[in-house]
Amino acid sequence: QGSRSSPVRIIRPADASDDDDRREAQQRQGHADDGREWQRSSRLGVTGADADGDGNRGSIVRPSEVVSTNGVYELVEESGQRKKLSPEAITRFKGRNSDTLQGSLAFVPWILQESYFESGLADDKIVVHRGTGAVVFSDASGFTALTERLAKKSNGAELLSQCLTAFFTPLINLINAYRGDVIKFSGDALTIYFPAVDDTKAPRSRIQVPPHGSYGLPDLGPMATAVLRASACCIEIHKRLHNFDTGEGDVRLTLHIGVGAGPVTILQVGGDQGRYEYVIAGEPLAQIAVAEPLASSGETVLSPQCWKYVKHTVIEGDPIEGHPTFHRLKALDITKHTYPTVKQAARQSAEKEVEEMHDDEELERRLTACMRFIPRSLLKQFRTGSLRGINEMRTVSIIFVQVQGVDVASDEGAVKAKKLMAGMQGICYSEEGSLNKFLVDDKGLLFLFVFGLPPLVHIDDPTRACRCCLEMSALLVQMELVGRIGVTTGRVYCGMVGSDTRREYTVMGDTVNLSARLMANAEANTVLVDEATFKRCGGDFTFLRLHPIRVKGKERQISIYRPLPADASAPSVASQPAIAEVISSTRDLKSHSFKVTRQESKREVSVRLPWPPKSALLGGTSPLTQMQSWSSLKLAHQAATRCLESSGRILAVIGQRGSGKEELVESVLQRCVDDGMVPVFGTTQMRSAEAFSAPREVIGQLLALLHRQPGDDKDAAAGAGFTDLLQRETLNAEESRSLSDFYGTKGSLSRCFERQESSGKTRADTICAFAAKLLARVLQSDRIVLCLRLWRGTTLSPCDTGLFWKLVRQLQQVCSAQPSGKALLIVLSREFAFEGEDLEPLRRRGSKRRNTHGASVAQLADPLMHNVVSTRMEPDPSVQGDLGGSKIAHEPVNMAGLSDTEAHIFTGLVLGVGTADRPSDAVPETLRTFLSNIALNNPRNILEALQQLLEERKMRVVGGRVELLVDLNTVGIADWVHTGMVGTIISQIEMMGAEAQRVIKMATVFDGPFSALDVASANRVHRPSSDLLAFHDSVQLLMSCKWLVQNGFLRYLDDQPDDETPADGQTSRLPRWEIKDLLIRKVVGATLLQSQKMQIKRAVLITRRLNIALPARMREKAAMHEELFGKQTKAERMWQQRRRESAIQWEARADVDCGG
């Protein structure tokens, strides 16, 4: 593994015990205190704390920035030229990699690090440790009450983080001192492993006393010593931390502990996209499941298996009624063992022989091995040294899943657990969620998933969570397992728990606890959700409202709901007494179907609109289509007319979300239907599971037009309806194979582009050609309007859309061969892109397309790659409008925001106080200005803002006029996280790179512009030392400013008058920027902690003051000196410089002579 140096002694993290304890232990061991200072370091020889206090000072340097060839480090510039780095730069960059490793080790238990050194952590290795020892489960009470109280404060996350650190730091120090290993954080609870190790086999120089620490007493054996250390640790924890004062009124933290002993197995499972979870299993877990609930506040209960090892060395507490074999632990028998001696012996036995690491490749391998267990949401923070600001209060959706029927302690169960974890990961990641915990208890396997953690934040996270749960339930049924699932939505603490030497990223709060309670009350393979989740996603599912239940921790009964799969029929209320009401999906209730009579058969057909109608024209809520002055509507109808007159031209409706694309297309569709054209729809949602939906829908509807008989009521786009219609079609072997592969199941997108040996075509070619063949046959008897929609929705990770665009190309070729007025093809998307005969180039270009921060589409497509900068991606110009080297004829309708007049009319129509032909005087000027600043004349944003203001009673409509009830400048816009206007901004900010995030957050601190010097000053908060890395970061921050301007977050001020002095006192030629709009300022500003705002303001204002006052003060001093002593000659200045240098050298020698 590369060159190594000689072994060095490394001591595990020690408790901050006082000198008296240490002295007593050393005297009892029979040797005097040698006054040696114990080294406090992490398990692999690096300290857990640093100048920032977050255990992570820098980011790992990737080969794309610095390359090493034969030991020579070079910087690769954009032009490809290489420059040799200075020794100082090499040292700094190597230090960053070491610091990143240092920070990551705190997230990995010592036993896994030891397994890496002993046998490695191969991907196919499931069992990484088998052994025996004591397992401690320590549960803290009071954190939920503390979290709920602090959640109401603006700086609640900061206060809770400080309290958690103050509580867990001494707790983990004690555990480390007794040679315990924190395996898992379960919210406010810890699972701790005390391995049974034969310390007598250590070198003789290290066993002057027995492993238990008492000189003259016989060795107890590895297992008894491990249980003794665990018992002593638990007692001392109670002494030091029982009734811990949180500083928040009467809220105090208490601990109750259960201890078990026996064989232990630790597994690594998962592996989807390189993310693994480890879990501890074995008999001790079943023992502590009984022991811990028997312990009252401030007590420890031992299992019978533990008691037999320490019954002669500890003092028993009061008997436990009803459980005589379990024992309360009162204290150690200090006539045999004392706490300091047990602790001191544990420290000495924890010294490890590890080899000091100088090889860069070994550093990278060790870092990679550790990071497989770390949530990817933390990787960006590691690599940029920004862990300090990760703690926050956030609204998320929590999923608890309990699975029974898997014994992970057995070899067969371990393999099944790995398969189950891979399936659960795949479902969660496809919905862009996060796996936070994987545990084993007496009831089975326990999963904790979270939707809404940065950077994957969506406005529809509750909907995604419910959809994920239904798919997980189906997976459990498929694997013949029994599972129960609970889902809740609410505000929780998301951040670090632990200390600098051992910590994890977790979620805490009442919402988390309630999810676990719902899981426990769910029936086998069903899902229960709370009322908050139901309200946020009730329109997307059919729910069964069940009778309220009472759960632990709640005074009142809570409302619960059960979502049903889309293909399930709702049971009647009379058939199941537990059901109070069946609540159908409003998505079905709000659907619209076009009625049209076919030309040849004269039979009326009904075609359903594949999305809930948006415009009031079809029963929606948007009045856009009623506005006579809406310029985009006029342009769209004119473009549709030109497309019908010239066959083969595509009507391309392009625009961002909420710009009114759907309303506009609905108006064009209604016009076509009124003209006797039959609509055919195909929608591809940018999710991997929906990549085939557009061809499936188009082929299904075309088959229905060709073969469906009156009375057929099956959906032709899915399931049995599609299969029945397909059997009526004559297929060749290639078509039969391709269609059966990809329409009987979800299919594989990678296989879709595999070339078949027989024909050289891909399956995608065959599928799209079959759709084109069906369209040509339908057009022989009917006029068709095709609407193909590429819908991103809230998805942040783009999937491969090559199949969609290939379908568009094939259908367009069929339409171009038809006479005028026969067919119209509409494409509804955020961008318009085509490629030629083979879509592989499009896929390859997409995977290599990069933004200015180096984030590729391949990274965006990976829901676990959290170093992505933004989702505001521009289409690749090289693939726009090009099809096989020729331009595709199309009529683009680019949807921009409304004009001020259009926005005024739209507001009046929404509020019911205006008409469609002119602005309304009933809308106050203050409201129009407010909407213009935050909604940016986007129709969806205006509609959402008005709905929120009415719901929160910030305004009202009385007598045909709008009355404002509050000052709109005081409205908490950032709290509207469930709306598209705010949720989209949050998602984009979370997906940015760390440098861009720091710039945009810093910009919200100031009311006016900020300059490049302000950026450098704020960087000192993050990088306080004045070194090469600080300069390197400042350059990257300036590059981020340019990127933020390009993506519409900042505005570059290039029109500053030369004769005006800016507020910072610098020249007007200095680059300056400002926040582009009020919405970004409000939303981003709310994500910044109060302490961070104060630090940035202080650093920047001090620098500004120095830049203004210091030069004038220096000139004043120089003028005064010249007035008193006259103007100095050059020789006099050189003589004074030599005197200063001599004085500095004399002071340095004096310091050395005096011993510093």
Side-chain angles (χ1 to χ4, degrees):
Q1 295 183 348
S3 59
R4 296 176 179 269
S5 62
S6 59
V8 295
R9 295 180 66 193
I10 300 298
I11 300 173
R12 289 158 55 92
D15 170 42
S17 303
D18 55 36
D19 293 337
D20 293 338
D21 283 355
R22 189 178 299 121
R23 188 176 297 107
E24 179 184 351
Q26 292 171 340
Q27 290 174 353
R28 190 172 179 85
Q29 290 172 354
H31 60 276
D33 181 7
D34 58 4
R36 180 162 58 100
E37 291 292 334
W38 288 91
Q39 176 186 3
R40 301 182 62 196
S41 62
S42 76
R43 294 181 172 90
L44 293 184
V46 288
T47 58
D50 59 17
D52 290 340
D54 59 10
N56 180 32
R57 284 178 292 190
S59 62
I60 184 165
V61 178
R62 293 300 177 186
S64 58
E65 298 177 3
V66 178
V67 296
S68 174
T69 306
N70 297 325
V72 178
Y73 288 84
E74 296 176 313
L75 178 66
V76 180
E77 298 180 341
E78 293 184 0
S79 60
Q81 296 181 350
R82 297 192 175 194
K83 291 185 178 180
K84 188 175 180 180
L85 293 180
S86 65
E88 180 187 11
I90 295 174
T91 302
R92 297 297 186 183
F93 286 126
K94 284 185 176 181
R96 275 195 166 187
N97 290 356
S98 178
D99 290 339
T100 304
L101 174 63
Q102 161 190 319
S104 66
L105 293 180
F107 290 83
V108 183
W110 163 250
I111 199 70
L112 290 181
Q113 300 177 31
E114 194 173 42
S115 297
Y116 167 76
F117 283 107
E118 292 177 354
S119 59
L121 294 171
D123 293 347
D124 58 349
K125 186 176 182 181
I126 301 177
V127 178
V128 296
H129 172 79
R130 290 190 189 274
T132 57
V135 178
V136 174
F137 186 76
S138 172
D139 191 10
S141 300
F143 271 115
T144 300
L146 178 64
T147 303
E148 295 303 306
R149 179 172 295 190
L150 293 179
K152 301 175 182 178
K153 297 185 178 182
S154 59
N155 60 340
E158 299 170 77
L159 296 176
L160 183 57
S161 176
Q162 295 169 5
C163 184
L164 290 172
T165 301
F167 178 78
F168 278 108
T169 296
L171 174 62
I172 294 175
N173 283 342
L174 280 171
I175 294 168
N176 291 334
Y178 281 97
R179 204 181 178 181
D181 191 11
V182 178
I183 302 296
K184 280 286 186 180
F185 290 78
S186 306
D188 51 10
L190 301 180
T191 302
I192 310 155
Y193 178 39
F194 290 82
V197 181
D198 190 358
D199 295 325
T200 61
K201 294 183 179 180
R204 293 298 304 172
S205 60
R206 299 194 178 191
I207 54 170
Q208 301 175 14
V209 295
H212 54 67
S214 296
Y215 186 78
L217 295 180
D219 180 26
L220 300 176
M223 194 65 180
T225 302
V227 178
L228 176 65
R229 290 169 177 168
S231 301
C233 180
C234 293
I235 296 170
E236 194 163 357
I237 285 174
H238 286 310
K239 288 181 178 179
R240 295 198 178 190
L241 296 174
H242 183 56
N243 283 328
F244 180 82
D245 186 5
T246 63
E248 290 293 325
D250 58 348
V251 179
R252 292 181 176 271
L253 306 180
T254 59
L255 290 165
H256 46 105
I257 303 175
V259 187
V264 169
T265 303
I266 298 180
L267 303 86
Q268 65 168 356
V269 293
D272 192 303
Q273 303 185 31
R275 173 76 166 91
Y276 287 82
E277 272 288 335
Y278 59 88
V279 65
I280 182 171
E283 297 177 7
L285 277 298
Q287 300 168 23
I288 61 177
V290 180
E292 185 267 333
L294 296 176
S296 300
S297 176
E299 293 182 345
T300 296
V301 172
L302 305 182
S303 69
Q305 292 80 355
C306 287
W307 182 251
K308 70 178 182 180
Y309 289 110
V310 295
K311 59 184 178 180
H312 300 298
T313 57
V314 301
I315 300 175
E316 184 180 6
D318 297 334
I320 301 175
E321 184 178 353
H323 294 80
T325 58
F326 287 79
H327 303 268
R328 284 193 178 93
L329 180 63
K330 184 176 182 181
L332 290 183
D333 185 353
I334 60 174
T335 63
K336 299 177 181 178
H337 306 286
T338 66
Y339 304 100
T341 56
V342 175
K343 187 190 306 181
Q344 184 74 356
R347 283 183 178 133
Q348 285 186 320
S349 64
E351 296 179 1
K352 297 292 179 182
E353 290 277 352
V354 298
E355 296 178 344
E356 189 175 8
M357 178 179 55
H358 291 295
D359 185 67
D360 296 333
E361 294 183 1
E362 171 61 17
L363 183 150
E364 184 74 18
R365 283 193 294 268
R366 188 184 301 184
L367 185 60
T368 302
C370 290
M371 284 190 170
R372 65 170 55 199
F373 302 111
I374 301 174
R376 295 306 191 265
S377 59
L378 301 181
L379 290 187
K380 182 174 69 175
Q381 315 298 334
F382 273 131
R383 292 167 179 165
T384 56
S386 55
L387 279 177
R388 177 189 296 180
I390 202 172
N391 302 327
E392 58 186 338
M393 296 291 183
R394 180 182 287 269
T395 299
V396 298
S397 292
I398 304 291
I399 301 176
F400 263 106
V401 183
Q402 182 188 81
V403 180
Q404 298 174 331
V406 181
D407 180 14
V408 296
S410 65
D411 293 339
E412 181 182 355
V415 174
K416 197 167 188 177
K418 181 178 179 65
K419 180 180 178 181
L420 174 63
M421 170 60 79
M424 301 289 265
Q425 278 184 312
I427 294 172
C428 175
Y429 296 158
S430 68
E431 295 290 348
E432 299 184 348
S434 302
L435 171 62
N436 188 259
K437 290 287 184 294
F438 177 48
L439 307 169
V440 174
D441 60 13
D442 60 318
K443 297 181 179 62
L445 308 182
L446 195 66
F447 298 84
L448 172 60
F449 299 95
V450 186
F451 281 77
L453 292 180
L456 300 176
V457 180
H458 317 83
I459 60 174
D460 61 343
D461 277 319
T463 299
R464 290 173 174 271
C466 287
R467 192 163 54 220
C468 175
C469 291
L470 294 175
E471 293 185 26
M472 289 178 177
S473 180
L475 174 66
L476 295 176
V477 173
Q478 180 183 350
M479 296 184 66
E480 299 181 351
L481 298 173
V482 177
R484 293 173 172 83
I485 306 177
V487 187
T488 55
T489 300
R491 192 169 175 82
V492 302
Y493 169 79
C494 307
M496 299 294 180
V497 294
S499 68
D500 290 336
T501 56
R502 184 67 177 96
R503 55 187 170 183
E504 283 189 4
Y505 183 82
T506 190
V507 290
M508 297 173 58
D510 182 63
T511 301
V512 182
N513 298 339
L514 180 58
S515 178
R517 309 289 185 230
L518 294 185
M519 174 196 69
N521 283 274
E523 297 180 3
N525 294 326
T526 62
V527 182
L528 286 184
V529 307
D530 67 340
E531 189 167 12
T533 305
F534 164 74
K535 289 181 177 179
R536 291 279 298 272
C537 63
D540 298 306
F541 303 92
T542 295
F543 280 91
L544 302 181
R545 183 171 67 84
L546 307 182
H547 293 293
I549 61 174
R550 190 177 299 277
V551 298
K552 180 181 177 181
K554 294 289 185 180
E555 297 180 358
R556 299 180 179 179
Q557 292 184 329
I558 62 170
S559 300
I560 56 174
Y561 303 82
R562 180 188 301 166
L564 296 180
D567 56 352
S569 57
S572 63
V573 177
S575 63
Q576 297 188 20
I579 302 176
E581 182 184 2
V582 177
I583 306 174
S584 299
S585 168
T586 57
R587 183 175 295 274
D588 296 332
L589 297 177
K590 294 181 179 179
S591 63
H592 176 82
S593 295
F594 293 100
K595 306 288 185 179
V596 61
T597 301
R598 302 183 64 178
Q599 288 183 342
E600 186 173 291
S601 64
K602 303 302 181 183
R603 183 167 57 90
E604 185 180 76
V605 294
S606 177
V607 182
R608 181 178 174 182
L609 187 70
W611 63 82
K614 301 293 181 65
S615 66
L617 179 68
L618 301 185
T621 58
S622 174
L624 274 175
T625 53
Q626 301 175 8
M627 294 170 48
Q628 302 174 5
S629 60
W630 188 23
S631 57
S632 297
L633 184 62
K634 298 177 183 179
L635 293 175
H637 281 282
Q638 294 171 1
T641 300
R642 290 192 295 271
C643 290
L644 284 169
E645 293 173 353
S646 176
S647 298
R649 297 183 71 88
I650 298 176
L651 177 61
V653 182
I654 307 167
Q656 292 299 314
R657 186 169 182 262
S659 58
K661 299 190 300 294
E662 288 82 4
E663 292 93 326
L664 188 147
V665 170
E666 288 171 10
S667 176
V668 175
L669 286 171
Q670 186 61 55
R671 169 191 166 185
C672 293
V673 169
D674 293 340
D675 197 31
M677 301 183 74
V678 180
V680 174
F681 298 99
T683 301
T684 289
Q685 184 174 352
M686 296 189 72
R687 298 171 57 239
S688 57
E690 303 291 338
F692 299 91
S693 55
R696 180 186 292 116
E697 292 173 7
V698 170
I699 293 175
Q701 292 176 52
L702 292 176
L703 285 172
L705 292 174
L706 289 171
H707 300 294
R708 175 170 285 180
Q709 301 297 324
D712 289 349
D713 56 354
K714 293 180 179 179
D715 185 0
F722 178 85
T723 304
D724 293 343
L725 292 172
L726 196 60
Q727 292 175 353
R728 305 175 189 178
E729 188 73 19
T730 302
L731 306 175
N732 59 40
E734 192 173 288
E735 291 172 343
S736 178
R737 182 170 52 253
S738 297
L739 291 171
S740 62
D741 282 350
F742 293 99
Y743 290 92
T745 62
K746 291 182 179 179
S748 168
L749 193 60
S750 60
R751 288 183 58 207
C752 183
F753 286 91
E754 292 177 358
R755 295 194 177 276
Q756 303 179 54
E757 295 182 1
S758 59
S759 63
K761 296 181 179 180
T762 67
R763 290 178 172 86
D765 293 329
T766 303
I767 293 171
C768 295
F770 181 69
K773 183 174 70 172
L774 293 178
L775 176 62
R777 290 170 53 190
V778 171
L779 285 172
Q780 293 175 6
S781 58
D782 292 290
R783 299 171 63 215
I784 299 295
V785 52
L786 279 160
C787 181
L788 301 182
R789 183 190 187 204
L790 182 59
W791 183 45
R792 177 184 294 275
T794 60
T795 301
L796 300 175
S797 305
C799 73
D800 194 330
T801 59
L803 183 59
F804 176 86
W805 293 113
K806 183 176 282 292
L807 178 67
V808 172
R809 177 188 182 278
Q810 294 278 1
L811 298 181
Q812 185 272 341
Q813 288 182 341
V814 174
C815 293
S816 63
Q818 303 300 317
S820 300
K822 190 69 173 179
L824 173 63
L825 177 56
I826 304 174
V827 174
L828 181 60
S829 175
R830 293 191 184 182
E831 58 185 35
F832 191 74
F834 281 97
E835 185 57 29
E837 293 295 332
D838 184 5
L839 286 204
E840 283 297 333
L842 173 63
R843 304 173 74 224
R844 288 195 296 269
R845 290 188 198 179
S847 65
K848 295 179 181 179
R849 187 171 27 151
R850 293 181 174 270
N851 54 39
T852 55
H853 283 243
S856 67
V857 174
Q859 291 172 322
L860 283 169
D862 180 359
L864 297 183
M865 290 299 295
H866 285 186
N867 59 339
V868 178
V869 180
S870 174
T871 60
R872 292 192 178 191
M873 296 174 53
E874 297 298 329
D876 190 345
S878 63
V879 301
Q880 287 194 63
D882 178 64
L883 223 153
S886 61
K887 294 292 182 179
I888 284 294
H890 66 282
E891 291 284 345
V893 180
N894 294 296
M895 303 294 295
L898 302 176
S899 66
D900 291 339
T901 302
E902 292 172 344
H904 189 172
I905 297 174
F906 181 74
T907 302
L909 290 174
V910 171
L911 296 176
V913 296
T915 60
D917 55 347
R918 59 182 182 176
S920 172
D921 296 334
V923 181
E925 176 67 25
T926 305
L927 177 61
R928 298 202 304 270
T929 303
F930 175 78
L931 293 175
S932 176
N933 290 334
I934 68 164
L936 309 177
N937 288 350
N938 180 287
R940 181 204 62 182
N941 292 354
I942 294 175
L943 189 60
E944 290 179 342
L946 292 175
Q947 289 174 346
Q948 288 300 125
L949 293 174
L950 291 172
E951 289 178 6
E952 297 177 2
R953 298 184 179 181
K954 307 296 184 184
M955 71 177 187
R956 63 183 179 182
V957 180
V958 179
R961 300 198 65 82
V962 179
E963 295 182 2
L964 301 180
L965 304 179
V966 298
D967 182 2
L968 295 181
N969 293 324
T970 63
V971 175
I973 301 173
D975 296 332
W976 301 349
V977 293
H978 57 284
T979 63
M981 59 185 294
V982 175
T984 301
I985 295 295
I986 294 177
S987 299
Q988 291 172 343
I989 297 300
E990 297 291 0
M991 291 290 286
M992 287 182 182
E995 291 82 9
Q997 279 190 5
R998 282 159 54 192
V999 170
I1000 195 68
K1001 290 182 178 182
M1002 183 211 71
T1004 63
V1005 174
F1006 304 100
D1007 295 332
F1010 63 95
S1011 68
L1013 290 179
D1014 295 335
V1015 173
S1017 302
N1019 185 42
R1020 297 301 178 189
V1021 176
H1022 173 74
R1023 186 80 61 190
S1025 57
S1026 177
D1027 58 9
L1028 177 65
L1029 295 183
F1031 173 76
H1032 177 264
D1033 289 345
S1034 296
V1035 173
Q1036 288 199 336
L1037 292 176
L1038 293 178
M1039 294 173 62
S1040 298
C1041 292
K1042 179 181 178 181
W1043 182 88
L1044 289 168
V1045 171
Q1046 294 173 345
N1047 286 269
F1049 291 97
L1050 296 180
R1051 179 186 296 108
Y1052 179 69
L1053 304 180
D1054 55 355
D1055 54 350
Q1056 305 171 76
D1058 294 335
D1059 56 346
E1060 293 185 8
T1061 302
D1064 54 17
Q1066 297 301 306
T1067 173
S1068 59
R1069 293 190 297 272
L1070 191 67
R1072 287 178 175 81
W1073 305 268
E1074 66 178 0
I1075 295 285
K1076 189 171 183 179
D1077 56 65
L1078 180 62
L1079 178 62
I1080 296 176
R1081 179 180 296 278
K1082 291 272 189 180
V1083 175
V1084 179
T1087 65
L1088 204 60
L1089 301 178
Q1090 292 293 331
S1091 60
Q1092 294 173 324
K1093 292 181 180 179
M1094 293 302 297
Q1095 289 175 336
I1096 293 174
K1097 281 186 177 181
R1098 185 180 298 112
V1100 174
L1101 292 178
I1102 289 176
T1103 303
R1104 283 186 176 185
R1105 187 59 188 168
L1106 288 175
N1107 291 337
I1108 295 174
L1110 188 58
R1113 184 61 174 164
M1114 294 298 293
R1115 288 192 295 269
E1116 180 182 345
K1117 287 287 187 181
M1120 185 181 301
H1121 185 277
E1122 183 176 344
E1123 181 181 349
L1124 293 175
F1125 304 102
K1127 190 173 183 179
Q1128 288 183 327
T1129 64
K1130 183 176 181 181
E1132 290 175 334
R1133 289 196 299 271
M1134 294 179 61
W1135 177 75
Q1136 286 189 355
Q1137 178 65 23
R1138 286 196 296 269
R1139 285 193 59 186
R1140 285 193 293 268
E1141 293 175 354
S1142 299
I1144 292 173
Q1145 295 175 2
W1146 182 86
E1147 291 176 358
R1149 287 195 298 269
D1151 288 342
V1152 173
D1153 295 339
C1154 297

